[in-house]
Amino acid sequence: NNNSNYASAKRNHVKQQRMKQTEREMQAKMIRYNILASYLLSDVPPSKYEVKFGARALRTSLTCYLNLSTSLHEQYSKMSNNFNNSASHHQQSQYKKECQTQDEIMAYMALL
C-alpha cells in the first residue's frame, strides 16, 4: 500500500511540474507575441490601437512569467533527485531549454 501511495504521489508531483512548465512556455509565447504586436502596431494611429493596452498586456505577461519561473531551478533539482537515470537526460535537456527561455525573457526585460 505504501508503494502505491508513493507512486501516486510521484505521478501527481510530475503532473504538477509539467503543468508549471506548460504555463511558463505559454507565458513566454505571450511575451514574444506582445513584443511582436507592439512592434508591428507601432505606426498605427492611436485612434485604431491603444499603445497603453499593448504595454499593459506585455507587463502582465512578464509579471506572470516571472512569478512562474521563480522556483524553476528548485523544481528541476527536486525532480532530478526523484527520477532515475533514463529520465534524467530528457529532464536535463528540458531544464536547459527552460533556462535559455528564461535568459531570453530576462534580456527582453532589460531592453524594455
Side-chain angles (χ1 to χ4, degrees), residues 31 35 58-59 62-63 65-66 101-112:
I31 291 166
I35 290 171
L58 179 57
R59 280 195 309 273
L62 286 166
T63 302
Y65 180 84
L66 288 175
T101 300
Q102 189 177 40
D103 290 345
E104 174 190 354
I105 301 304
M106 293 301 191
Y108 292 150
M109 287 184 64
L111 293 172
L112 299 173

Side-chain angles (χ1 to χ4, degrees), residues 16-94:
Q16 287 175 347
Q17 296 307 322
R18 286 184 183 152
M19 198 163 57
K20 288 179 185 178
Q21 172 189 345
T22 301
E23 291 170 350
R24 284 190 296 265
E25 288 174 359
M26 290 180 70
Q27 284 303 322
K29 287 179 183 180
M30 289 299 297
I31 291 166
R32 292 179 192 115
Y33 168 81
N34 284 315
I35 290 171
L36 179 61
S38 294
Y39 173 74
L40 293 174
L41 297 171
S42 62
D43 292 336
V44 174
S47 62
K48 297 196 182 235
Y49 176 72
E50 183 65 44
V51 176
K52 290 179 183 179
F53 173 77
R56 183 177 299 127
L58 179 57
R59 280 195 309 273
T60 301
S61 296
L62 286 166
T63 302
C64 288
Y65 180 84
L66 288 175
N67 288 337
L68 290 167
S69 66
T70 55
S71 60
L72 172 71
H73 304 294
E74 181 181 309
Q75 289 170 6
Y76 277 95
S77 68
K78 282 182 183 177
M79 285 173 61
S80 67
N81 294 334
N82 295 332
F83 283 132
N84 59 22
N85 287 336
S86 64
S88 69
H89 177 69
H90 173 72
Q91 175 193 352
Q92 288 172 356
S93 65
Q94 187 62 40

